[in-house]
Amino acid sequence: MDLKIARKTALVTGASKGIGFAVAKGLAAEGVRVIMSSRNELNLQKAVDDIRLAGFEAFGIAADISKLSEIDRLFDLTKQRFTEPEILLVNAGGPPKARAQDLDEELTKLAYELSLMPSIRLANKAIGAMKERNWGRIINITSISVKEPVANLALSNSFRAAVTGFAKTLASEVAQYGITVNNVAPGYTATERLMELFTDKQALADFSQTIPAKRLATAEEVAAAAVFLASEQAAYITGQTLLVDGGMAKGLL
Ligand SMILES: NC(=O)c1ccc[n+]([C@@H]2O[C@H](COP(=O)([O-])OP(=O)(O)OC[C@H]3O[C@@H](n4cnc5c(N)ncnc54)[C@H](OP(=O)(O)O)[C@@H]3O)[C@@H](O)[C@H]2O)c1
């Protein structure tokens, strides 16, 4: 299916690895010019090179999106060198593991800057040009934790819920301008992040058997949902969270 987004420009953060990289690659394969960002320049350049070697258009701008000044710089450079993004994919590493009763000021502020503020800051920077063009796609990568809180991931459970609330509210404000705002909520996905959470390989293999699909997701399977939400065909889907979890979450909605 032609997703009708060829020659659009996308900004994808957290794009050097895992789900973000898979989204960048998926969009690039649709003919989208992809501006990729993450903190480590070497890893980022390698990821950009991988996509270029596959014959697609990608560029890298290193930035730490947990810092307002870096978001400003990333956005300004994207605008100067390319154009303001028509597709915005907000993603980064997940916040550290923690129980709710162990949260202190420092941890909580760190997760707020990493897991909530980039969605607000980047979306609000992007919507001006999207409104002028009467077209835009904003997608956040959140987590299965928005459907069912995950034990020991109090920071993810809290701030992903806040992103979901922000996205839903923004979606209704900008729908009239042809802008959609959605979230993709991955279940357990085979990436470095998951290896950080499960240091014991056998425990991870055992855990995988508790997923109805009996396996982890691939980053590409999660990315496919985001690429679809970026498509022309998804124009009437907004304010939604699309779970990609192999049947893991048990809630009805
Ligand atoms: N994997 C799973 O099972 C799973 C499940 C549910 C939700 N999620 C969520 O999905 C998101 C992506 O997960 P993943 O598994 O793909 O993670 P990953 O493999 O650890 O990749 C994270 C990416 O984000 C970049 N990044 C990290 N911190 C950043 C920052 N402050 N500013 C800019 N870029 C940053 C990393 O590159 P640099 O280190 O170079 O910056 C890397 O490119 C995370 O938020 C995670 O919590 C994952």
Side-chain angles (χ1 to χ4, degrees), residues 143-200:
S143 169
I144 189 174
S145 65
V146 300
K147 294 283 178 181
E148 289 179 1
V150 179
N152 301 320
L153 289 186
L155 292 165
S156 178
N157 298 340
S158 304
F159 288 110
R160 309 295 194 191
V163 169
T164 310
F166 168 74
K168 187 83 179 174
T169 313
L170 181 63
S172 63
E173 292 174 12
V174 299
Q176 63 188 304
Y177 303 106
I179 305 171
T180 68
V181 188
N182 292 291
N183 312 304
V184 171
Y188 294 83
T189 309
T191 66
E192 281 183 25
R193 161 77 174 164
L194 198 66
M195 302 312 152
E196 279 167 26
L197 294 176
F198 281 88
T199 39
D200 179 346

Side-chain angles (χ1 to χ4, degrees), residues 69-87:
S69 60
E70 294 270 289
I71 285 194
D72 287 343
R73 189 178 56 80
L74 170 63
F75 209 86
D76 290 348
L77 283 175
T78 303
K79 191 171 153 183
Q80 278 164 25
R81 293 189 195 160
F82 308 98
T83 181
E84 283 168 282
E86 291 150 298
I87 300 167

Side-chain angles (χ1 to χ4, degrees), residues 57-247:
E57 214 180 346
F59 304 88
I61 302 175
D64 179 347
I65 62 162
S66 69
K67 298 189 167 75
L68 173 59
S69 60
E70 294 270 289
I71 285 194
D72 287 343
R73 189 178 56 80
L74 170 63
F75 209 86
D76 290 348
L77 283 175
T78 303
K79 191 171 153 183
Q80 278 164 25
R81 293 189 195 160
F82 308 98
T83 181
E84 283 168 282
E86 291 150 298
I87 300 167
L88 171 66
L89 186 292
V90 186
N91 173 61
K97 254 183 178 176
R99 298 192 309 169
Q101 58 194 306
D102 296 332
L103 296 186
D104 59 18
E105 289 286 311
E106 199 184 335
L107 262 184
T108 309
K109 282 182 184 153
L110 186 146
Y112 162 84
E113 294 290 348
L114 176 69
S115 302
L116 171 61
M117 291 313 291
S119 292
I120 298 177
R121 289 170 173 156
L122 283 164
N124 283 336
K125 282 186 166 290
I127 54 176
M130 289 180 177
K131 278 184 183 172
E132 279 167 23
R133 292 176 171 132
N134 222 31
W135 199 96
R137 298 285 183 267
I138 298 172
I139 303 152
N140 300 297
I141 301 296
T142 61
S143 169
I144 189 174
S145 65
V146 300
K147 294 283 178 181
E148 289 179 1
V150 179
N152 301 320
L153 289 186
L155 292 165
S156 178
N157 298 340
S158 304
F159 288 110
R160 309 295 194 191
V163 169
T164 310
F166 168 74
K168 187 83 179 174
T169 313
L170 181 63
S172 63
E173 292 174 12
V174 299
Q176 63 188 304
Y177 303 106
I179 305 171
T180 68
V181 188
N182 292 291
N183 312 304
V184 171
Y188 294 83
T189 309
T191 66
E192 281 183 25
R193 161 77 174 164
L194 198 66
M195 302 312 152
E196 279 167 26
L197 294 176
F198 281 88
T199 39
D200 179 346
K201 289 226 165 54
Q202 189 54 48
L204 181 57
D206 294 345
F207 176 78
S208 302
Q209 292 308 304
T210 68
I211 301 171
K214 303 285 178 208
R215 64 175 180 85
L216 302 173
T218 65
E220 289 72 22
E221 286 172 319
V222 176
V227 173
F228 172 69
L229 289 170
S231 72
E232 188 57 47
Q233 287 87 340
Y236 209 63
I237 302 173
T238 195
Q240 302 304 308
T241 291
L242 182 46
L243 210 60
V244 184
D245 73 341

